[in-house]
């Protein structure tokens, strides 16, 4: 009985694998067609965003003598018109670093909004703000 069940399973395995492969191909194609989505972006791209952060971030005075390094993970929304709002810290480094990261993010210009099916939409965005030791 065990041998018969094992043989049935082994014979069905290639059929199941082929069906799974066919289903994943269909879902990938429909995903590409249905999810015509573009993420929001900083004007000038990622390099320009890093330059903006480097030029505007200040080392917190409380940690002037410390050699602390790390990152603050922040989230915010990019409205359909490119306005950024609702800035929050998702992962903290230290309260003074968190405040500085939020301060700089609030200085950002309007972003290029994200879009879905060619229409601008509100998107949530997550970004690491890095603080490198001196």
């Amino acid at each position: 009985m065990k041998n018969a069940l094992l043989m049935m399973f082994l014979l069905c395995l290639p059929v199941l694998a082929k069906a799974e492969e066919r289903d994943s191909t269909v879902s990938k194609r429909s995903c590409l067609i249905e999810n015509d989505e573009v993420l929001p972006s900083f004007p000038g791209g990622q390099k320009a965003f890093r330059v903006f952060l480097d030029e505007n971030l200040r080392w917190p005075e409380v940690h002037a003598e410390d050699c602390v390094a790390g990152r603050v993970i922040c989230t915010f929304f990019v409205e359909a018109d490119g306005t950024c709002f609702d800035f929050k810290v998702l992962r903290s480094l230290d309260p003074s670093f968190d405040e500085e990261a939020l301060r700089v993010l609030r200085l950002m210009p309007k972003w290029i909004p994200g879009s879905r099916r060619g229409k601008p939409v509100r998107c949530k965005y997550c970004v690491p703000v890095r603080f490198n030791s001196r």
Side-chain angles (χ1 to χ4, degrees):
M1 184 68 177
K2 286 183 184 179
N3 288 341
L5 287 174
L6 182 61
M7 283 300 272
M8 292 274 295
F9 176 74
L10 292 175
L11 289 173
C12 291
L13 194 57
V15 174
L16 293 172
K18 200 67 162 168
E20 184 178 315
E21 180 182 312
R22 185 177 61 245
D23 290 343
S24 68
T25 305
V26 170
S27 66
K28 284 179 189 173
R29 284 186 193 146
S30 62
C31 227
L32 290 174
I33 293 168
E34 291 173 14
N35 291 333
D36 182 21
E37 297 177 356
V38 178
L39 292 175
S41 60
F42 188 82
Q46 287 293 324
K47 263 189 175 177
F49 182 58
R50 290 289 159 212
V51 169
F52 172 81
L53 289 176
D54 290 342
E55 290 176 352
N56 291 289
L57 274 177
R58 287 188 234 132
W59 201 262
E61 290 295 322
V62 177
H63 296 283
E65 300 299 319
D66 298 343
C67 290
V68 178
R71 61 187 181 171
V72 177
I73 308 292
C74 298
T75 63
F76 58 92
F77 285 92
V78 179
E79 190 60 75
D81 68 354
T83 307
C84 298
F85 68 99
D86 196 23
F87 299 94
K88 294 181 181 172
V89 173
L90 193 62
R91 184 178 297 156
S92 176
L93 178 59
D94 179 84
S96 58
F97 287 103
D98 300 348
E99 288 174 27
E100 179 61 14
L102 293 174
R103 182 192 70 79
V104 171
L105 291 177
R106 288 184 182 112
L107 295 175
M108 293 187 303
K110 284 189 173 186
W111 280 43
I112 299 164
S115 64
R116 180 178 292 144
R117 295 188 183 111
K119 295 181 182 180
V121 293
R122 175 188 295 177
C123 296
K124 189 172 187 178
Y125 201 82
C126 183
V127 63
V129 179
R130 299 179 201 291
F131 290 89
N132 297 322
S133 61
R134 298 179 178 186

